[in-house]
Amino acid sequence: MFRVGIVALLQESNTFLPGKTTLEHFQQELLVRGRDVRQHFVGGHHEVSGFFAELERRGIEAVPIFAARAVPFGTVTRATYALLLQELLQELESAGRLDGVLVAPHGATVSEDVPDVDGDWLTAVRHKVGPQVPIIGTMDPHVNLSPAMVAATDALVAYRTNPHIDQFQRGVEAAVLMARTLTGEIQPVQAAAFPPMLINIERQCTSESPCRELVQEFEAVRGQRGVLSTSLLLGFPYADVAEMGSASLVVVDRDVAQAQALANDLASQMWDLRSDLQGRFISVPDAVGQAAGLPSPVCLLDMGDNVGGGSPADGTLLAIELERQGLTPSFVCINDPDAVSTCEVLGVGSEFSLAMGGRVDPLHGPPWTTDVTVLQLVDGQFDEPEARHGGLTHFDMGRTAIVRTDSGLIVMLTSLRTPPFSLCQLTAFGLDPAAFRAIVAKGVNAPLAAYQPVCPSMIRVNTPGVTMADVTGLPYHHRRRPMYPFEPETAWTP
């Protein structure tokens, strides 16, 4: 029986945040070894769940080794990455003989000493198992793909959807490639192309034009003879590293020249669409004003306070504007442990003036002070049964208070930053989404999978912050130059 190891290390690092990602962040979210990896993922929607399912179906022994994940936040501290890498390699050493390794990097992890963490740990795995053992994996399309990642692996497969609802399927796809490789049916090789461009996050929904047309082009190439996989890599603009940007990746059977030619052609098509792939921005007052005239509930996507991009999740600008324009009842979620503590002290039913949000920095709005009534105090845990962005099934917001302002806003105050990937964030606590005129979701595209079924309209709002959509305003020091759209006259041929 073939033995295939399973390794995952996922974190999206926003280098513009002053705070750092520590070991505690991983321990709080996910840090497991050995059999605990299987226990955590089997039966879920994640790509690692897909690894396990397909290997079992094919009679291949899955050897769970190591898995770590943290909610997107700042740069990973040097000590944290050093410890994670040490544990990963120790567990890999203890796993015994392996015929292959399935890996799940995110692709946009940055540490204080290593800007390309994913390329670094994948290279370390390659050195550990040797050149003959196939390494095949998945990655988030928000990867900042590096040549080191490509060189260290035999094949990488990115999720094809944004919101990411196909993670399980991509895990299955990677496991199928592994099985076919181990039996000698195929010999996967891959090549990438790196056009010097950024696809604005406001344009990255794969079911909306113009990104949709690019997805179709990649799908067409995937159907060609000898092609095993194609990946449209959107990039993660909030990591100030040389690898930041968009890319194409093609995996074929044996012919690396074919892979490079196809990757170059797809990158050229991305380049031709570069102006269309830049953002369209609407201000906070205009967004709330538009929402007032649309069928409810309207989902207002808070792009500058995008939790999935590492933001503090305590932005107040949309809440303040909803109150100012009187668009109520509406729903807002704000991460504010201090406000939760105040509500717990005073108790359910208490009425008082409460300061909420705006505590981390001035970018996301000031503290919002208004009169509230405490409606609920809960443990903040809930489960999502459907495949939603991120592939998560269990969420923990920490101690959570739900309050109603005198103006009619319902505010969920959490103790832990929680991305809006699940409608159960509301329904698990008795909140009916249909009862609101507007629902604020701190994200850009990720919340769509959860909220589109109940929200007739979605408005992406150009809020300021560490995940601002207009990235030309961010203080980059390490990105490639020239690069479109920062240098509009940039020229490129593959």
Side-chain angles (χ1 to χ4, degrees):
M1 178 184 287
F2 293 120
R3 301 180 81 245
V4 173
I6 294 179
V7 177
L9 176 54
L10 306 106
Q11 200 263 349
E12 204 170 39
S13 307
N14 186 321
T15 64
F16 297 104
L17 280 165
K20 306 296 184 185
T21 299
T22 66
L23 187 65
E24 183 181 1
H25 290 96
F26 286 94
Q27 292 169 333
Q28 191 176 77
E29 177 74 6
L30 176 68
L31 182 55
V32 289
R33 307 154 191 87
R35 66 183 63 182
D36 290 339
V37 177
R38 182 190 302 273
Q39 182 177 350
H40 182 85
F41 284 104
V42 166
H45 306 299
H46 198 268
E47 60 259 46
V48 176
S49 308
F51 292 167
F52 281 113
E54 186 61 22
L55 291 179
E56 180 181 2
R57 193 183 75 82
R58 289 176 174 262
I60 296 173
E61 182 185 354
V63 183
I65 294 173
F66 178 87
R69 180 180 63 210
V71 173
F73 193 51
T75 302
V76 179
T77 66
R78 61 178 57 87
T80 297
Y81 175 54
L83 183 59
L84 290 173
L85 181 61
Q86 179 184 22
E87 290 198 14
L88 187 161
L89 295 177
Q90 286 176 346
E91 293 295 327
L92 188 63
E93 180 74 28
S94 301
R97 176 190 61 83
L98 295 174
D99 300 294
V101 184
L102 284 169
V103 294
H106 178 282
T109 311
V110 180
S111 80
E112 291 176 307
D113 290 338
V114 183
D116 177 21
V117 163
D118 300 282
D120 186 73
W121 76 260
L122 289 171
T123 300
V125 171
R126 171 57 73 198
H127 289 162
K128 179 67 72 173
V129 302
Q132 302 305 317
V133 174
I135 301 175
I136 296 174
T138 56
M139 55 186 171
D140 193 298
H142 292 107
V143 56
N144 289 321
L145 187 69
S146 70
M149 294 177 65
V150 177
T153 56
D154 295 87
L156 289 170
V157 175
Y159 321 147
R160 298 177 193 169
T161 62
N162 188 28
H164 310 326
I165 57 174
D166 66 330
Q167 290 175 245
F168 181 89
Q169 289 83 356
R170 300 289 73 75
V172 168
E173 180 181 349
V176 168
L177 289 176
M178 177 62 74
R180 297 177 68 193
T181 301
L182 293 176
T183 59
E185 180 185 347
I186 59 171
Q187 182 182 323
V189 293
Q190 61 186 350
F194 303 89
M197 63 178 284
L198 178 77
I199 298 176
N200 190 278
I201 197 164
E202 193 270 341
R203 303 267 94 182
Q204 287 188 6
C205 178
T206 53
S207 63
E208 299 176 8
S209 185
C211 199
R212 178 180 60 222
E213 286 71 34
L214 271 181
V215 169
Q216 291 169 350
E217 294 296 336
F218 277 72
E219 288 178 352
V221 171
R222 199 176 301 123
Q224 294 185 20
R225 183 183 180 88
V227 176
L228 302 174
S229 178
T230 62
S231 295
L232 168 60
L233 307 173
L234 304 168
F236 183 65
Y238 307 110
D240 183 15
V241 294
E243 295 80 11
M244 189 275 288
S246 306
S248 64
L249 182 72
V250 176
V251 183
V252 304
D253 185 14
R254 293 178 170 83
D255 189 349
V256 71
Q258 179 194 18
Q260 190 65 68
L262 291 172
N264 290 347
D265 181 64
L266 289 169
S268 294
Q269 295 183 59
M270 295 166 63
W271 183 250
D272 290 343
L273 286 172
R274 63 190 181 280
S275 62
D276 294 333
L277 291 166
Q278 299 316 301
R280 308 292 185 265
F281 306 129
I282 179 172
S283 69
V284 171
D286 287 347
V288 175
Q290 283 188 21
L294 294 171
S296 60
V298 176
C299 186
L300 296 171
L301 294 153
D302 188 346
M303 297 197 293
D305 194 18
N306 173 10
V307 189
S311 74
D314 75 339
T316 58
L317 294 173
L318 277 168
I320 292 170
E321 189 63 24
L322 286 166
E323 188 174 59
R324 189 186 74 81
Q325 294 196 30
L327 189 60
T328 59
S330 291
F331 173 85
V332 181
C333 183
I334 294 175
N335 182 55
D336 191 336
D338 291 341
V340 174
S341 296
T342 300
C343 292
E344 290 212 280
V345 169
L346 295 175
V348 173
S350 58
E351 302 177 12
F352 55 97
S353 180
L354 180 64
M356 298 174 283
R359 299 181 190 272
V360 174
D361 58 48
L363 297 176
H364 304 89
W368 171 41
T369 302
T370 190
D371 292 336
V372 304
T373 301
V374 180
L375 302 180
Q376 295 186 58
L377 292 167
V378 296
D379 66 5
Q381 298 190 42
F382 61 94
D383 294 307
E384 170 56 65
E386 303 295 330
R388 294 291 183 247
H389 185 98
L392 305 179
T393 55
H394 181 72
F395 294 81
D396 184 359
M397 302 186 291
R399 290 296 296 171
T400 296
I402 301 173
V403 305
R404 181 181 60 237
T405 71
D406 284 0
S407 62
L409 289 177
I410 299 297
V411 185
M412 178 175 281
L413 299 165
T414 69
S415 297
L416 299 174
R417 291 184 311 122
T418 305
F421 295 169
S422 171
L423 201 61
C424 295
Q425 187 174 16
L426 281 71
T427 58
F429 305 103
L431 301 177
D432 179 7
F436 300 114
R437 296 184 67 188
I439 298 173
V440 175
K442 293 182 178 297
V444 183
N445 298 301
L448 300 185
Y451 287 89
Q452 276 184 328
V454 298
C455 294
S457 301
M458 319 288 288
I459 301 177
R460 296 179 177 90
V461 190
N462 188 32
T463 47
V466 292
T467 59
M468 66 175 75
D470 186 3
V471 294
T472 58
L474 291 172
Y476 290 96
H477 299 289
H478 305 292
R479 67 168 175 83
R480 287 176 285 167
R481 287 179 168 81
M483 187 179 198
Y484 188 89
F486 304 99
E487 290 80 37
E489 301 307 315
T490 301
W492 178 76
T493 54

